[in-house]
Amino acid sequence: MIPARPLKVVTRHRDGQILAYVMDSDRFGRLEPAAVFRPRAGDEVVESVVRPDLERVVYTTPNGVVCLTRTGDLVWASDFEPHSDVRHGHRPGCALSLDGRTVWAYRPDAMAGRGGGDQWVVYDADGGTVLARLELETVGHGAGHHVHPVDGSIYLDIGEGQDGSVVLRGTAGACGEVDFVPYPWSDRCLIGLAPGGEQFMTVDHGQADVAFHNHPSGDVLFALPVEAFGYDPEDTFVEWSGGYLTRDSAVVTLGGETEDGEEWFRHHLIDVRTGAISGVMPVEAAHAYDLVPLGDGSWLTDGPVRWSGDSLRPVPVPVPALGEMASLHEGGDTAPRSAADENTLAAQ
C-alpha cells in the first residue's frame, strides 16, 4: 500500500544491485540502503525507481521495463520490440506516479534503431498493462522524469544531443484517461520542480541562462543570464544541474575553464520569490553534477551522503545590479559538451 504522504526514495546501482535510500527527516551523513533489490540475471539496469513502501522496484533495461518484488519475484515485464542490439546512445527511463498506480517509461526507439520515433508509455503499476502510449517525434538519447509533488502530473525532459531538449507533461485522470501536453521549446532543459509545485526551473540548452517558470503554463517568471552572476558569457556557462534547495531557494551552478584549462564550477543560491541572487553556496562537491538538492533544505553528494542546510549561510559575492527581471537570452549557439550531460544523473 502506498503511503498517503510517501517518503522520498532515491536509488543507486552498485555491484549488480539496486540500492534504495530513504530521505526522511533524521537521516544525514553517509546513508545506508533501506532496501536492496537484485535484478534478473542478465538484465542491464539503466534506470530504476522503488516504491515508497520498499516492496517493489521498477527498472528499465535497453530493451524493456521490469517490475520485481523485494524478494526478486517477477511481477511483470514489458519488452521493447523489436529487440535492439545497439549498445550506446539510448537510455530508457522510468518513473512511478505520485499515487503509485502507474509507471511511466520513456523509450528512445529512434536511437535504438527500432524504426520510427520515440515513445512515452504509461503502464498499470500492478499488472503492467499499457494504459496509454504517445508516439513522439523526437530522436532522444535519454530523458528525465519529474513527478509533480502536488497534482501528480509527470514532466518529461528528452535530450536530443546537439539538437536540443523537448519538454512534455502528462496527466492521468480519475477514469484512467491520459493527456499529454508539449511545451513550445526545443532549447530548454528541465532541471527540477519546486517542492511546493508552483514552478519549475530550466536551463538554456546553449547554457546561456537559467529560467523559472509557472506550473503548469510554463510562462517565464524570471530568467537570469550568465552576466547577471557577474561572469563573462564568453568563457562561463550555466550547468545543466542544480535545482530547488527549498520552496523559496534554488541552486544554480555555473562553470568554465581557467586559463590553464582546468575546469571550475560554483553553486549560486537564488531567491525564487524575487529573482535575487543570494550568494555562493559554500559546499564541497566532486564535480558540477555531484550536488543534488532535495527540496527540503538538504542535498545529496556521491556516496550517497546527505547534508543538512540548517547552518548554511550563503557567501556574498559582488554581482551587477539586476534592475528589472532579466528576460530570456535570445542567443546561444554553444554546442553541449557531450550528449550524456543531458541525461539525469539520479539513476547513476
Side-chain angles (χ1 to χ4, degrees), residues 39-40 48 67 83 87 94 115 125 166 226 229 265 313 324 334:
R40 297 184 304 180
S48 63
C67 179
H83 181 90
R87 293 296 304 160
C94 60
V166 175
V226 169
F229 295 87
F265 61 91
R313 295 292 183 271
E324 297 181 353
T334 307

Side-chain angles (χ1 to χ4, degrees), residues 7-8 21 30 65 76 94 117 130 149 152 155 161 186 197 206 210 215 221 224 250 265 293 316 323 325 332-333:
L7 297 171
K8 185 179 183 66
Y21 300 88
R30 183 170 294 275
V65 186
W76 58 267
C94 60
V130 174
Y155 281 80
S186 60
V210 60
H215 165 83
L221 302 171
L224 298 168
F265 61 91
M325 294 297 186
D333 295 327

